[in-house]
């Protein structure tokens, strides 16, 4: 019943939006002031997405990704489909000294409500984000921001090589702060993109209409209706049936339904998401390097990647399309004999003959946790691991949770299956600092390694990109050697559209799906 009501709500939204647009476009004002009927084709794009947030407030969690993905919000600078920086609201920028960067804001940009965008508007938006965001990983050490006409000057309190990278994150989408305190802003933020929000219903969908005053060009599509369909196979079915014209994040099995078909266009390739196992370093056995190495040797990641996820086996945090990726051999290939030898050497033995090794007289039964939002494949990975760990004398129990935050805070786990976008800022420092540095807020397993911490400190002061890339490779190798994190596989990004949809690109960052280039032929 709940699913039926949710679907009905979304359908009503779509009908209302189309009706309003038809009314607006069917009347034209003549020179003498009279009204005449004028029928124009209304171009409607129906899309399916795999994730939506509770609201679209860019400064909260990853909610800004919704605004970025569907052409609502824009930053000073963004990443294009090839992970290169492109000027957006800022037409150019220059680092004038090691602490100061000057941005030139484009003339003629207006917010969705018609208010002009100048340096002061950008200053106030960035300051608001710094003041209220709950994303500690996105806080910048800004000493001052000055606005003069279209010139925005940002000075940091310390050398910040990733200032532009961070300003490209959806947290720093430029919004009209003059209306940000009004009721409903979190569901309809006032931004500058080619589309603006008409209705937003969490867990249902989003309705967008064309921004007729978009600064860059005339937008071809009038209406976009985005429906939340969490299950990948259900998204594929919606695309096959004609319910939607556009679907994202289909897995390789479902992509086979569309590849080679004239009526569809498939965009696919590596993105930045990496699946990995976080080990709880507070557990005594996890503090033993030999034990962790045995866990790494004891699972067949290549088969998991190929058969379960239809993905590519991972070595470190970064896939090989990135300039700071480790490109050598995996440190711990599947080798159950080696795993058993390591466990024997470290004194983890089965004394009572029940097939399970012990520590201090207690059977080692690992608690494997994953989130239901990661789907059945994450749980299936646990089932495969459970079988292979049994072969080396380690027990494991699998539990799926709605949310991993509570279980990670409680510490009542041994292994968490997790999935991250490894380099959303196009730089290696983000995931090192956020997920693996000692004491970092999202370090679920309390991992700590002085060598990695030193890499983070060096990245903090290194401006040269080639040097930063080298540090990224060194950091990845440290994580791999230490086996405190077991990297499983790199996920692939995909976008499938009907063949009459043009101007759609697959962004490696996975932050964007639709922009001003979309057209319906």
């Amino acid at each position: 019943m709940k699913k039926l009501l949710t679907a009905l709500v979304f359908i009503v939204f779509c009908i209302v939006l189309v009706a309003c647009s038809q009314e607006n476009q069917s009347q034209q004002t003549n020179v003498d002031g009279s009204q005449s009927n004028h029928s124009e084709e209304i171009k409607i794009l129906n899309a399916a997405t795999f994730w939506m947030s509770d609201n679209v407030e860019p400064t909260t969690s990853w909610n800004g990704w919704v605004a970025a993905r569907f052409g609502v919000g824009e930053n000073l600078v963004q990443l294009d489909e090839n992970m290169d920086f492109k000027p957006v609201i800022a037409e150019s920028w220059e680092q004038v000294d090691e602490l100061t960067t000057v941005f030139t804001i484009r003339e003629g940009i207006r917010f969705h409500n018609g208010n002009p965008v100048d340096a002061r508007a950008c200053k106030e938006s960035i300051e608001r984000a710094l003041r209220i965001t709950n994303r500690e990983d996105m806080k910048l050490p800004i000493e001052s921001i000055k606005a003069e006409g279209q010139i925005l000057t940002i000075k940091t309190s310390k050398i910040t090589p990733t200032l532009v990278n961070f300003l490209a994150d959806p947290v720093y989408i430029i919004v009209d702060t003059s209306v940000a305190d009004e009721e409903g802003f979190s569901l309809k933020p006032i931004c500058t993109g080619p589309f603006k929000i008409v209705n937003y219903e969490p867990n249902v969908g989003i309705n967008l209409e064309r921004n007729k005053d978009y600064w860059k060009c005339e937008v071809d599509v009038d209406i976009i209706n985005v429906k939340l369909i969490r299950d990948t196979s259900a998204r594929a079915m919606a695309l096959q049936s004609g319910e939607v014209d556009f679907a994202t994040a289909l897995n390789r099995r479902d992509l086979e339904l569309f590849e080679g078909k004239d009526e569809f266009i498939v965009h696919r390739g590596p993105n930045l998401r990496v699946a990995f196992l976080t080990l709880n370093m507070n557990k005594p056995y996890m503090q033993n390097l030999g034990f962790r190495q045995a866990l790494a040797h004891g699972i067949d990641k290549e088969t998991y990647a190929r058969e379960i996820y239809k993905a590519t086996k991972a070595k470190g945090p970064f896939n090989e399309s990135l300039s700071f990726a480790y490109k050598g051999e995996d440190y711990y290939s599947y080798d159950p004999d080696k795993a058993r030898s390591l466990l024997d050497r470290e004194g983890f033995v089965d004394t009572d003959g029940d097939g399970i090794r012990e520590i201090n007289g207690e059977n080692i039964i690992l608690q494997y946790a994953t989130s239901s939002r990661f789907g059945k494949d994450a749980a299936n990975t646990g089932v495969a691991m459970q079988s292979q760990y049994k072969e080396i004398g380690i027990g494991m129990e699998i539990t799926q949770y709605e949310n991993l935050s509570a279980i990670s805070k409680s510490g009542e786990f041994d292994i968490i299956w997790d999935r991250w976008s490894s380099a959303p800022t196009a730089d290696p420092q983000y995931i090192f600092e956020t997920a693996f540095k000692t004491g970092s807020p999202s370090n679920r397993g309390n991992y700590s390694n002085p060598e990695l911490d030193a890499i983070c400190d060096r990245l903090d002061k290194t401006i040269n990109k080639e040097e930063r890339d080298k540090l990224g490779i060194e950091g990845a190798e440290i994580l791999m050697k230490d086996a405190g994190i077991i990297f499983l596989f790199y996920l692939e990004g995909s976008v499938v559209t009907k063949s009459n949809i043009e101007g759609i690109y697959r962004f490696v960052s996975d932050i964007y799906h639709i922009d001003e280039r979309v057209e319906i032929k």
Side-chain angles (χ1 to χ4, degrees), residues 156-259:
T156 56
S157 58
K158 65 176 185 177
I159 295 173
T160 309
T162 54
L163 173 67
V164 173
N165 306 62
F166 275 53
L167 289 175
D169 189 274
V171 164
Y172 292 102
I173 283 172
I174 300 302
V175 302
D176 186 354
T177 60
S178 71
V179 296
D181 292 332
E182 293 183 5
E183 186 177 357
F185 182 85
S186 67
L187 297 178
K188 295 182 185 179
I190 304 303
C191 307
T192 62
F195 297 95
K196 52 187 178 181
I197 298 174
V198 176
N199 291 298
Y200 186 85
E201 182 73 14
N203 300 314
V204 179
I206 180 172
N207 305 114
L208 309 164
E209 68 178 10
R210 174 169 63 98
N211 177 8
K212 297 176 183 177
D213 299 316
Y214 184 54
W215 60 271
K216 190 174 184 179
C217 62
E218 183 174 347
V219 181
D220 181 70
V221 176
D222 296 291
I223 295 171
I224 299 178
N225 299 313
V226 183
K227 186 175 183 179
L228 175 62
I229 305 177
R230 290 189 173 90
D231 182 73
T232 178
S233 296
R235 289 195 299 279
M237 289 175 61
L239 191 59
Q240 280 185 304
S241 69
E243 179 184 350
V244 300
D245 313 296
F246 171 110
T248 66
L250 301 184
N251 63 33
R252 289 192 186 182
R253 288 186 295 271
D254 291 318
L255 287 175
E256 293 171 0
L257 300 170
F258 305 101
E259 290 178 319

Side-chain angles (χ1 to χ4, degrees), residues 45 47-52 64-73 193-197 200 206 208-209 224-227 246 248 511-515:
L45 176 68
T49 188
F50 65 97
W51 175 82
M52 287 177 62
W65 285 52
V66 176
R69 279 176 168 160
F70 300 107
V72 175
F195 297 95
K196 52 187 178 181
I197 298 174
Y200 186 85
I206 180 172
L208 309 164
E209 68 178 10
I224 299 178
N225 299 313
V226 183
K227 186 175 183 179
F246 171 110
T248 66
I511 294 176
Y512 312 99
H513 293 325
I514 292 173
D515 59 25

Side-chain angles (χ1 to χ4, degrees), residues 126-139:
I126 293 168
E127 288 177 336
R128 175 179 181 266
L130 288 167
R131 186 172 64 252
I132 71 173
T133 185
N134 64 349
R135 289 279 305 281
E136 292 298 322
D137 58 312
M138 280 292 125
K139 292 289 182 70

